[in-house]
Amino acid sequence: MKIVINEKHEINKLVSNEIIRLVKSNPKAVLGLATGGTPLGVYEELIKDHQENQTDYSQVITFNLDEYYDLEPTHKESYHTYMNDNLFSKININLDNTHFPDLNNPESYTNLLEQHRVDFQILGVGSNGHIGFNEPGTPFESITHYVTLAESTRKDNARFFNSIDEVPTKAVTMGLNDIIKSKRIVLIAFGANKAQAIKQLVDGAESENWPVTILKRHPYVTLYLDKEAASLL
Ligand code: GLP
C-alpha cells in the first residue's frame, strides 16, 4: 500500500491527473465514484480540466458506491443529486452510462459490476472506518446490500441536512467484496477525525470491525492523506 502525505490541493491534483490520464488512454474507462466532502476537490479539478482541455467523458462508465434508501433521487441530498451537481452536469458524460445501486434489487448491481470491472475506484472513509456505507461488522464477502446507518455516520453526515432527524437511516451500498474487485483503488482522507481509521488500515490487522482494513488485501492501493489524517501513523 503506497502512502502519500500532502496538502489537500496537491492531493486533488494528483488524483484528478491520474483519472484524466486513464480516461485519455481508455475512453471507455470504468470509474467507481464516491460522495461526501472528500472527493469534491478532485471533481472540481476534473471539471476545470474538462473546460480547459475538453477531456472526453462521452463513453466513460461510472458506478457510484452508494445511495440513501429513504430519499427520492431528486432530493437535494441524494447522491444522485450530489453527482449531477458536482460532476455529471459539468462534463460531457452520458447519463445512461452512470450507475447507482438499484434500491429495489441491490444484488443486480453486483451482477452489473461483474460485467464492467471498475478500473479506478475513488474512496473516502468514514470516521468509524466505513467505506461506501459498509459499516463496522459488515462481512468482507458482502455484495451490494441494504444497510442501516451507524449513529456515528448519521451524525457525521448531519452537516449536509437541516438536522440529524432528517438524515436517512437506511442506504444501499456496494459490498466490500464488490469494492475490492476494482483494479485500482485510491483512498483519500482529510482531517483528524479520519486518523484512527487510517491508523487501523496502515498499522492494524484486517478486521471486519474496521471495514476499511479490507484494503490491506488489495495489490494496488494508494492512500492520499493530509497531515491530520496521517497524525496517528
Ligand atoms: C459517507 C459516504 C462515503 C464517504 C464517507 C466519508 O457517508 N457514504 O462514501 O466516503 O461517508 O464522507 P466525507 O468525505 O464527507 O468525510
Side-chain angles (χ1 to χ4, degrees), residues 35-38 65-66 79 124-126 130 132-133 153 157 159-160 194:
T35 52
T38 306
L65 282 168
D66 44 20
Y79 289 161
V125 60
H130 74 240
F133 268 137
T153 300
N157 287 356
R159 67 189 195 280
F160 298 114
K194 307 294 173 73

Side-chain angles (χ1 to χ4, degrees), residues 119-155:
D119 293 302
F120 183 100
Q121 175 68 57
I122 184 168
L123 287 181
V125 60
S127 56
N128 64 359
H130 74 240
I131 52 176
F133 268 137
N134 292 282
E135 298 285 21
T138 306
F140 280 175
E141 309 76 56
S142 56
I143 62 169
T144 305
H145 62 288
Y146 294 109
V147 295
T148 299
L149 299 180
E151 269 317 292
S152 62
T153 300
R154 294 185 65 239
K155 269 190 207 138

Side-chain angles (χ1 to χ4, degrees), residues 132-197:
F133 268 137
N134 292 282
E135 298 285 21
T138 306
F140 280 175
E141 309 76 56
S142 56
I143 62 169
T144 305
H145 62 288
Y146 294 109
V147 295
T148 299
L149 299 180
E151 269 317 292
S152 62
T153 300
R154 294 185 65 239
K155 269 190 207 138
D156 287 348
N157 287 356
R159 67 189 195 280
F160 298 114
F161 294 82
N162 292 323
S163 79
I164 188 158
D165 303 327
E166 288 184 16
V167 183
T169 55
K170 292 196 170 60
V172 176
T173 184
M174 229 187 246
L176 293 169
N177 190 50
D178 298 323
I179 294 172
I180 205 70
K181 286 183 176 158
S182 308
K183 294 181 202 162
R184 162 88 171 123
I185 298 181
V186 163
L187 182 141
I188 307 175
F190 295 142
N193 67 327
K194 307 294 173 73
Q196 188 62 41

Side-chain angles (χ1 to χ4, degrees), residues 57-209:
Y57 293 86
S58 61
Q59 298 180 84
V60 166
I61 298 172
T62 68
F63 287 90
N64 263 80
L65 282 168
D66 44 20
E67 180 55 289
Y68 290 118
Y69 179 69
D70 29 11
L71 291 187
E72 289 298 318
T74 52
H75 187 283
K76 72 176 187 29
E77 292 304 334
S78 79
Y79 289 161
H80 280 78
T81 302
Y82 170 106
M83 290 310 307
N84 281 327
D85 290 354
N86 294 305
L87 185 63
F88 295 161
S89 66
K90 297 178 175 152
I91 57 174
N92 70 326
I93 201 156
N94 178 351
L95 287 181
D96 292 341
N97 293 338
T98 66
H99 302 88
F100 289 83
D102 183 338
L103 300 183
N104 298 311
N105 184 2
E107 297 84 354
S108 67
Y109 203 54
T110 294
N111 296 337
L112 211 55
L113 285 162
E114 275 162 12
Q115 292 161 36
H116 304 273
R117 191 160 163 225
V118 170
D119 293 302
F120 183 100
Q121 175 68 57
I122 184 168
L123 287 181
V125 60
S127 56
N128 64 359
H130 74 240
I131 52 176
F133 268 137
N134 292 282
E135 298 285 21
T138 306
F140 280 175
E141 309 76 56
S142 56
I143 62 169
T144 305
H145 62 288
Y146 294 109
V147 295
T148 299
L149 299 180
E151 269 317 292
S152 62
T153 300
R154 294 185 65 239
K155 269 190 207 138
D156 287 348
N157 287 356
R159 67 189 195 280
F160 298 114
F161 294 82
N162 292 323
S163 79
I164 188 158
D165 303 327
E166 288 184 16
V167 183
T169 55
K170 292 196 170 60
V172 176
T173 184
M174 229 187 246
L176 293 169
N177 190 50
D178 298 323
I179 294 172
I180 205 70
K181 286 183 176 158
S182 308
K183 294 181 202 162
R184 162 88 171 123
I185 298 181
V186 163
L187 182 141
I188 307 175
F190 295 142
N193 67 327
K194 307 294 173 73
Q196 188 62 41
I198 295 302
K199 185 176 173 52
Q200 293 293 331
L201 170 57
V202 176
D203 296 332
E206 272 184 34
S207 163
E208 289 177 354
N209 294 328

